[in-house]
Amino acid sequence: MLSGVATSQTTAPSPILNNQINLGEIFSEQALNVQTVTDGVTASTTAQANGVSIGVANADASATSNQTNQGAVYAHGVVGIAADGGATTTVNTTAAGNSGTIGAASGTISAFGVQVNNAGVTARGQIEAGDAQAKDVSVSTLAMGNTQGVSLDNGAAGLRLSQSNTANTLADGGAHVGAVTGSISVSATTAGNNINISGANQSASRLITDQANTADVTQASKFTAYGSSYLSATTATATGNTLSVSNEGPLTDLTSNQWNTSYVRGQAEATSYQFGGAQTNAYAVGNASQVVNLGSELALNNTQTNDGGGVEAIATFGGQDGYDATTAATAMGNAVSGTVCSRCNGRMTVNNNQVNNADVGATTTTNSYSTGRQVTGVSTAVGNNAGFYVRSPSGN
């Protein structure tokens, strides 16, 4: 799944050309069934149509990458426990249409990357242990139409990244456990398009990103049920387009364009007959952009348009006897934040344009049927949300 790696010192930038087209169905399925274990259970299930990794160390490179997926991608991981899951239980399920990584360590990279996904991407991860017990449990389910990562370490980058997703993405599943004696975290995350850029050790970058998600549905959903649980968290996060930039260095110059017409749904539902601390969180947003530069200069030109199908977040919890329960649902059409470091004599220049032309709704339902200590519900719906800050890294 990896190609196009440049790591040697050269006098001129190394040219890299990557072209990938997938036309066939990609699927990965796993069923792991146990009676009793002492240390724990681990199940990892991954399906990916196209993948590329491009990197330089003490060198320079110029790269062009084109990835196109036309085949359905499906990953399904199921863990069944009959009696005892032991100390730790981990279930990771990942599905992606196109995936790419770009890296530069003490070097410079310029790149033009295009990712196009035109086929459905589905990830399902679950635990079936209704008559069993487990201590610490983690269930993570991830579905991405297109995902691109960039990592800089004392590096410099000039990048133009373009992503288009036209097909449904779904992260689904959950957990059914008789007794959880430790902590359990069950999460679903999905995005039509995702870009994550990080820079450390005095890195700098100039970036242009274009993301369009025109699928019918973009959905993350998790359903959990416990006989008893000490600490539990059920989380669903669905985003049409998401961009995250975090840099430590002199300059981050970003022009970002995001367009979403998909119906975006985040749904988290949990029940526990007896509970200690229970959290249920659902998050849904059409377009999300978060940019942080712990350095002297941030230039941000942000354009977000959310239209079409609407955005909906649904969070539900029900319990009989317990202590603390928190249920939260957050839905936004467009969200952007920009932060620059005040201790670095930071300066920020922002041009922000947001348009939401779709329904946005958030719903929470919390039922504590008998005894409880504290029950909290939070429901938030916002059309356009923006925040820009010049402050210290601690936030003070």
Side-chain angles (χ1 to χ4, degrees):
M1 294 190 296
L2 305 179
S3 63
V5 179
T7 58
S8 61
Q9 178 70 48
T10 57
T11 57
S14 298
I16 301 168
L17 175 61
N18 175 64
N19 291 305
Q20 296 175 315
I21 300 174
N22 178 68
L23 303 176
E25 179 181 358
I26 307 296
F27 64 91
S28 178
E29 297 190 67
Q30 178 175 192
L32 196 161
N33 298 301
V34 299
Q35 177 74 24
T36 299
V37 294
T38 56
D39 292 344
V41 179
T42 300
S44 179
T45 310
T46 302
Q48 178 178 292
N50 296 307
V52 62
S53 179
I54 300 169
V56 296
N58 300 305
D60 301 331
S62 176
T64 299
S65 177
N66 298 288
Q67 297 175 303
T68 300
N69 177 50
Q70 304 280 3
V73 180
Y74 180 70
H76 187 198
V78 181
V79 170
I81 303 172
D84 194 335
T88 59
T89 302
T90 303
V91 182
N92 294 323
T93 308
T94 302
N98 298 301
S99 178
T101 61
I102 296 172
S106 300
T108 300
I109 189 163
S110 61
F112 177 62
V114 178
Q115 295 177 320
V116 178
N117 181 65
N118 295 323
V121 177
T122 302
R124 300 184 188 274
Q126 61 200 80
I127 291 179
E128 299 294 342
D131 297 322
Q133 68 174 6
K135 187 179 180 183
D136 294 328
V137 181
S138 174
V139 181
S140 176
T141 307
L142 177 67
M144 299 284 179
N146 298 300
T147 182
Q148 178 69 60
V150 179
S151 178
L152 305 175
D153 184 0
N154 189 228
L159 306 174
R160 177 70 184 262
L161 305 175
S162 176
Q163 295 179 321
S164 173
N165 179 65
T166 66
N168 296 347
T169 56
L170 171 65
D172 192 26
H176 181 203
V177 185
V180 178
T181 60
S183 63
I184 182 167
S185 173
V186 180
S187 65
T189 304
T190 190
N193 298 301
N194 174 69
I195 297 175
N196 189 293
I197 300 169
S198 64
N201 192 20
Q202 296 301 305
S203 294
S205 58
R206 294 187 184 274
L207 314 163
I208 300 176
T209 61
D210 297 285
Q211 297 172 301
N213 182 43
T214 57
D216 291 334
V217 178
T218 303
Q219 178 173 320
S221 48
K222 279 296 182 183
F223 305 91
T224 57
Y226 313 115
S228 64
S229 59
Y230 178 55
L231 297 174
S232 67
T234 304
T235 306
T237 302
T239 313
N241 299 297
T242 181
L243 169 65
S244 176
V245 181
S246 178
N247 185 62
E248 184 272 315
L251 174 66
T252 297
D253 187 334
L254 170 66
T255 297
S256 170
N257 300 282
Q258 294 177 319
W259 171 271
N260 178 68
T261 61
S262 176
Y263 169 57
V264 180
R265 181 184 182 94
Q267 183 174 6
E269 297 191 8
T271 61
S272 185
Y273 188 84
Q274 294 178 320
F275 59 95
Q279 295 183 353
T280 309
N281 300 290
Y283 179 77
V285 63
N287 299 298
S289 181
Q290 183 179 53
V291 186
V292 177
N293 187 43
L294 301 181
S296 56
E297 186 78 19
L298 171 62
L300 174 61
N301 291 280
N302 180 70
T303 301
Q304 295 175 318
T305 303
N306 184 58
D307 203 347
V311 178
E312 188 171 16
I314 301 168
T316 302
F317 175 77
Q320 182 69 21
D321 298 312
Y323 288 90
D324 303 324
T326 301
T327 309
T330 303
M332 296 185 185
N334 299 299
V336 62
S337 66
T339 304
V340 70
C341 174
S342 61
R343 293 182 181 178
C344 315
N345 297 316
R347 188 171 73 97
M348 179 167 54
T349 304
V350 176
N351 181 12
N352 181 52
N353 296 281
Q354 296 173 305
V355 177
N356 178 63
N357 191 34
D359 295 339
V360 178
T363 304
T364 62
T365 304
T366 308
N367 296 306
S368 181
Y369 295 104
S370 182
T371 61
R373 182 171 62 184
Q374 181 171 334
V375 178
T376 304
V378 181
S379 182
T380 305
V382 180
N384 297 301
N385 185 64
F388 306 105
Y389 311 97
V390 179
R391 60 189 183 190
S392 68
S394 64
N396 298 319

